[in-house]
């Protein structure tokens, strides 16, 4: 049933008072005002959904890792958003959306100082939507560096990525959304909601962090075989994935910043890609491990969501299923690949966000409903490469500097004891002893050859 508001009522609702006189708006002006207000409400509600994704990331990471590090994980995710918000307000937003210097970086709007007067309200709403994106890019890295990172070193990283690494690349691809004009978007780069701008940025930074840190103690045996280190609470991780799935509707559809019917296609594409990613990851892991492995299936959901993010507004539903299904298969292979080359990523963040973000960005060009060409595909590949060449070296250098001057990795004793106790003086689960809780590995001869990095089907053994 459609509701009809008479024009007379619409005009009276939107009638301003000027100097004591009532001056009715025209019908067109009243409709435009209502649309403008709806855009504000939709954008801010979408920002709330994306903010709620922080809870999802926290639960996924906590569930996929050991009980003795749960407090540390919550603290890292809390500080990603809290410190990241301040850094993005002070520096990042201006670099990303200020008046552009040659299409490479913004030069105004630091501390929101240049965005006052006319249009100030929209700038504030737009900043709120963008800061939750910046926090998402930052929090992706937490999972890949879980269970062995010093808290102080991690805080330094969180400031650096939200103030510099993420905003600079964001200005290349999205600068024109406010005051800038990025060189990459001027070439026609397609990344509607951030498969590369947000997710690959976080994924490649995560890769640098995992490399600089090295694997967790006990991850690899003396003979080089892989020892799965089991997550302590898979239902918690599953809840986190469902929260992320919900939040992603705001992430993708909210990127319209417009309350109109175009969001319907984006909702459908987002959901279909996630579902296809889950099913494909389940099938591939079932074939690979002999059982429908739950952690891979959960990561398949996230892979599908990351994959569709770039093209959610410019591909059809059938293409969204293909994109999500491919992402679900890619993430399983990618997790196993990084594990084999001794890059320890406890939650699969590099594969989900970095690798599947690159796939999704390429797919946005391949399946573009407006048509594709070698030129479009070339620009997509250029954007993927530019992201990696900017983010990975900068993040690697940053992590090296943090390691040198602050310290990046905890001591072996602290890692064995658990970061909850050594870094925060607490214990998330009082029934577990802080020392050694959740340290057991999956046993059985050759088990490391059959179980993925985020294997989850065995229970936590208390020490």
């Amino acid at each position: 049933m459609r509701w009809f508001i008479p024009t007379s009522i619409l005009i009276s609702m939107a009638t301003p008072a000027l100097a004591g006189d009532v001056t009715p708006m025209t019908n067109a002006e009243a409709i435009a005002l209502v649309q403008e207000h709806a855009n504000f409400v939709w954008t801010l509600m979408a920002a709330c959904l994306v903010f709620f994704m922080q809870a999802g990331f926290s639960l996924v990471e906590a569930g996929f890792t050991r009980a003795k590090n749960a407090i540390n994980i919550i603290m890292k995710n809390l500080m990603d958003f809290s410190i990241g918000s301040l850094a993005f307000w002070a520096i990042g937003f201006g670099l990303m959306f200020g008046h552009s210097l040659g299409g490479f970086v913004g030069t105004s709007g630091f501390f929101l100082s240049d965005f006052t007067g006319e249009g100030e309200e929209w700038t504030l709403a737009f900043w709120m939507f963008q800061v939750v994106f910046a926090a998402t890019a930052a929090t992706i890295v937490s999972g890949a560096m879980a269970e062995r990172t010093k808290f102080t070193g991690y805080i330094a990283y969180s400031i650096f990525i939200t103030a510099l690494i993420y905003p600079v690349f964001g200005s290349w691809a999205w600068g024109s959304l406010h005051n800038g004009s990025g060189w990459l978007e001027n070439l026609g780069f397609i990344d509607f909601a951030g498969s590369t701008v947000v997710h690959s940025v976080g994924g490649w930074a995560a890769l640098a962090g995992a490399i600089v840190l090295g694997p967790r103690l006990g991850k690899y045996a003396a003979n080089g075989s892989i020892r799965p280190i089991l997550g302590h609470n898979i239902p918690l991780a599953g809840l986190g994935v469902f929260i992320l799935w919900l939040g992603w509707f705001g992430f993708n559809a909210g990127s319209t910043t417009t309350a109109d019917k175009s969001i319907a296609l984006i909702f459908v594409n987002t959901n279909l890609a996630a579902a296809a990613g889950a099913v494909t990851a389940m099938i591939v892991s079932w074939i690979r491990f002999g059982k429908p492995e739950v952690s891979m299936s959960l990561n398949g959901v996230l892979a599908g969501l990351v994959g569709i993010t770039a093209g959610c507004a410019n591909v059809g539903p059938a293409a969204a299923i293909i994109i999500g299904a491919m992402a679900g298969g890619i993430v399983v292979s990618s997790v196993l690949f990084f594990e084999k080359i001794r890059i320890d990523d406890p939650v699969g963040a590099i594969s989900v966000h970095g690798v599947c973000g690159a796939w999704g960005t390429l797919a946005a060009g391949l399946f573009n409903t407006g048509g594709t060409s070698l030129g479009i595909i070339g620009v997509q590949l250029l954007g993927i490469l530019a992201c990696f060449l900017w983010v990975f070296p900068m993040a690697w250098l940053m992590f090296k500097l943090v390691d040198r001057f602050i310290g990046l990795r905890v001591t072996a004793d602290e890692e064995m004891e658990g970061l909850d106790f050594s870094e925060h003086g607490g214990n998330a689960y009082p029934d577990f002893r802080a020392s050694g809780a959740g340290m057991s590995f999956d046993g059985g001869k050759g088990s490391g050859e059959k179980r993925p990095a985020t294997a989850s089907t065995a229970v936590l053994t208390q020490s």
Side-chain angles (χ1 to χ4, degrees), residues 102-115:
F104 285 93
V105 68
T107 59
S108 62
F110 305 108
F111 304 96
L112 290 178
S113 59
D114 294 345
F115 296 125

Side-chain angles (χ1 to χ4, degrees), residues 26 41 73 125 138 149 157 163 167 169 184 246 255 271 302 305 307-309 337 346 379 397 401 405 414 422 457 460:
T26 66
V41 172
I73 286 162
T149 305
Y157 144 78
F169 183 79
L184 197 52
L246 171 65
S255 294
N271 192 68
L302 302 182
L305 290 166
I308 196 58
T309 295
F337 168 77
V379 170
L397 177 62
L401 291 173
F405 294 104
E414 290 171 333
S422 64
T457 52
L460 174 69

Side-chain angles (χ1 to χ4, degrees), residues 18 164 205 224 249 373:
L18 299 176
L164 180 64
F249 293 122
S373 66

Side-chain angles (χ1 to χ4, degrees), residues 41-42 46 89 145 166 183 189 254 294 340 358 383 395-396 405 418 425:
V41 172
W42 167 237
W89 164 75
M145 299 176 64
Y166 167 76
W183 68 270
F189 182 60
V294 63
K340 282 186 177 180
W396 185 88
F405 294 104

Side-chain angles (χ1 to χ4, degrees), residues 23-284:
T23 305
M25 289 183 172
T26 66
N27 191 41
E29 289 172 336
I31 291 172
L33 182 62
V34 171
Q35 179 66 59
E36 181 185 12
H37 288 181
N39 294 344
F40 271 76
V41 172
W42 167 237
T43 300
L44 291 172
M45 288 302 298
C48 292
L49 284 171
V50 180
F51 170 74
F52 192 40
M53 290 172 69
Q54 293 292 319
F57 281 120
S58 299
L59 297 183
V60 168
E61 186 181 346
F64 276 166
T65 53
R66 289 168 290 184
K68 62 183 181 177
N69 298 307
I71 289 175
N72 178 256
I73 286 162
I74 296 300
M75 282 294 294
K76 286 192 300 177
N77 282 269
L78 175 65
M79 288 301 110
D80 276 332
F81 191 82
S82 300
I83 293 178
S85 291
L86 299 175
F88 193 70
W89 164 75
I91 301 172
F93 188 73
L95 290 178
M96 193 164 175
F97 294 111
H99 295 289
S100 182
L101 179 63
F104 285 93
V105 68
T107 59
S108 62
F110 305 108
F111 304 96
L112 290 178
S113 59
D114 294 345
F115 296 125
T116 56
E118 186 177 357
E120 177 183 6
E121 293 88 355
W122 178 247
T123 295
L124 296 175
F126 183 72
W127 180 88
M128 193 65 228
F129 187 69
Q130 289 300 325
V131 74
V132 292
F133 273 53
T136 298
T139 205
I140 287 167
V141 184
S142 175
M145 299 176 64
E147 304 199 290
R148 71 258 200 219
T149 305
K150 286 184 68 173
F151 186 65
T152 52
Y154 186 83
I155 288 176
Y157 144 78
S158 190
I159 296 171
F160 196 79
I161 192 170
T162 48
L164 180 64
I165 294 180
Y166 167 76
V168 168
F169 183 79
S171 73
W172 300 353
W174 287 352
S176 66
L177 293 179
H178 205 66
N179 283 328
S181 180
W183 68 270
L184 197 52
E185 63 178 333
N186 289 339
L187 295 176
F189 182 60
I190 303 169
D191 190 1
F192 184 77
S195 285
T196 286
V197 175
V198 179
H199 295 283
S200 282
V201 165
W204 302 143
L207 176 61
I211 290 173
V212 174
L213 268 178
R216 289 167 291 175
L217 296 176
K219 177 62 180 175
Y220 297 95
N223 63 3
S225 63
I226 302 165
R227 288 172 164 172
I229 301 177
L230 306 179
H232 86 282
N233 194 328
I234 299 308
L236 198 69
L239 176 60
V241 168
F242 279 112
I243 289 173
L244 288 169
W245 197 332
L246 171 65
W248 231 286
F249 293 122
F251 199 97
N252 286 354
S255 294
T256 62
T257 65
T258 304
D260 62 21
K261 61 186 180 182
S262 68
I263 64 176
L265 174 64
I266 299 174
F267 265 74
V268 170
N269 284 344
T270 300
N271 192 68
L272 289 175
V279 172
T280 304
M282 179 194 68
I283 293 171
V284 172

